[in-house]
Amino acid sequence: LGLANTALLWMGRAAARRREAAVRLALGASRLRVGQQLAMEALLPSLAGGMLALLLTLAALAALNGAPPEELATVDGFTLDYRVFAFALFLSAGAGVLFGALPMRSVFRRGMEGRALTQHRGGIDNRFESRLRPVMVAVQVGLVCALLAPALLLMQSLAAMESIDPGVRTRNLVTAYVSVPYAHAPDPAAWYRRLEETLHTQLGARNITLASVLPLSQEPGGDPFSIEGRAFGASGALPQFSHTLRVGQGYFDLLQVRILTGRGFAPRDFAQSTHVAMVNETLAHAF
């Protein structure tokens, strides 16, 4: 689509300068010299626009790498593929030279200088050019229509994704990553319990909780588990792997996770090492 726009712009500009080229040829300028001038006039704006696009792209990538959106926080970094950029720049410059020279075909023919001089400025007396313009316009319209459907589908998908309820509270929350070296805390569970009690005292039990992993941020894979009284079926139709989260008091209340059946964690569950767990609806239905 961009190449079609560039081609039409250069065709219009060259058609407007056809009379000027005819005057230069009539005054004795060589066709090679006039062709070189047209090529340089097409190359310089293309290269200047490419350099400006490169600077803007590098600035945008630097800003994106410096403060990536939350949805892209897991990406290590964004880089520019200079080979693809050089290919796009080559296509842009090539389109400028090619379609800038096409309207001059009739002028470069011997004996056609006088005919070009008698035409009004920007006049078109070329069947090939008059047929090419509608084709280029049709290509543009076709590309726009081809891009319109995916663009509308993308907008619809984004709107649908925004309306999905993740099942947890996602607004007005502040998260922080805390890690303690083993040398300073031989018993990590006790250290985290003391941390949670201190934060509860300062911020209130309803405003703070701990979790080993944030919801919906687990990596692929999982931890194997077994069900009491049932053989472990790792090679069955449903491999027994699940994501395990270790959470603190008030986790379900703070994140507004609805408990469908059973009870939530009680303070006595955290007072000592008890084997208490909650499972989600998907695991319950599967097993």
Side-chain angles (χ1 to χ4, degrees):
L1 185 59
L3 286 178
N5 284 329
T6 302
L8 282 176
L9 288 174
W10 281 112
M11 286 177 63
R13 185 178 186 276
R17 300 195 61 184
R18 184 185 292 130
R19 183 181 177 86
E20 176 186 344
V23 171
R24 291 178 180 273
L25 292 174
L27 292 176
S30 65
R31 288 172 171 77
L32 178 61
R33 182 65 176 173
V34 175
Q36 289 176 346
Q37 177 189 357
L38 295 175
M40 291 302 299
E41 290 180 353
L43 283 175
L44 289 178
S46 299
L47 294 177
M51 293 301 102
L52 179 60
L54 178 61
L55 294 177
L56 293 176
T57 302
L58 293 177
L61 289 177
L64 193 61
N65 290 325
E70 294 181 359
E71 293 80 3
L72 304 177
T74 57
V75 181
D76 294 335
F78 298 90
T79 59
L80 176 64
D81 192 331
Y82 289 95
R83 294 173 299 178
V84 176
F85 185 87
F87 180 70
L89 186 61
F90 172 77
L91 289 181
S92 176
V97 174
L98 176 62
F99 291 96
L102 280 178
M104 299 295 180
R105 292 172 63 251
S106 59
V107 180
F108 285 162
R109 295 174 184 172
R110 295 188 178 277
M112 297 297 293
E113 300 91 337
R115 186 176 179 181
L117 288 172
T118 60
Q119 295 177 355
H120 60 83
R121 183 176 178 84
I124 299 175
D125 187 22
N126 189 306
R127 290 184 178 181
F128 175 76
E129 184 181 348
S130 61
R131 293 176 181 176
L132 183 60
R133 285 177 179 272
V135 172
M136 297 299 297
V137 173
V139 169
Q140 282 187 293
V141 174
L143 291 175
V144 169
C145 294
L147 293 175
L148 182 60
L152 293 176
L153 290 175
L154 178 60
M155 293 176 60
Q156 184 180 5
S157 299
L158 290 176
M161 290 177 62
E162 290 292 334
S163 62
I164 293 177
D165 181 12
V168 298
R169 176 185 174 185
T170 58
R171 298 182 181 274
N172 301 324
L173 291 173
V174 177
T175 61
Y177 177 77
V178 180
S179 179
V180 56
Y182 180 79
H184 297 279
D187 187 358
W191 187 90
Y192 283 113
R193 281 197 293 268
R194 291 195 302 270
L195 172 63
E196 187 175 26
E197 291 173 359
T198 303
L199 294 175
H200 281 174
T201 303
Q202 297 179 356
L203 303 176
R206 291 181 173 271
N207 300 324
I208 187 70
T209 190
L210 299 181
S212 59
V213 182
L214 291 177
L216 306 180
S217 62
Q218 297 92 341
E219 297 181 355
D223 303 315
F225 69 93
S226 59
I227 301 175
E228 185 177 358
R230 188 185 304 182
F232 180 80
S235 60
L238 293 173
Q240 291 182 197
F241 291 90
S242 67
H243 291 292
T244 303
L245 281 73
R246 293 173 294 278
V247 302
Q249 301 184 48
Y251 176 86
F252 293 93
D253 293 333
L254 180 62
L255 295 185
Q256 299 175 357
V257 178
R258 190 161 55 96
I259 300 176
L260 300 179
T261 304
R263 66 171 180 86
F265 292 133
R268 65 178 182 273
D269 297 326
F270 299 91
Q272 54 186 349
S273 299
T274 56
H275 296 83
V276 180
M278 299 180 65
V279 299
N280 62 1
E281 190 176 21
T282 302
L283 189 144
H285 285 171
F287 297 97

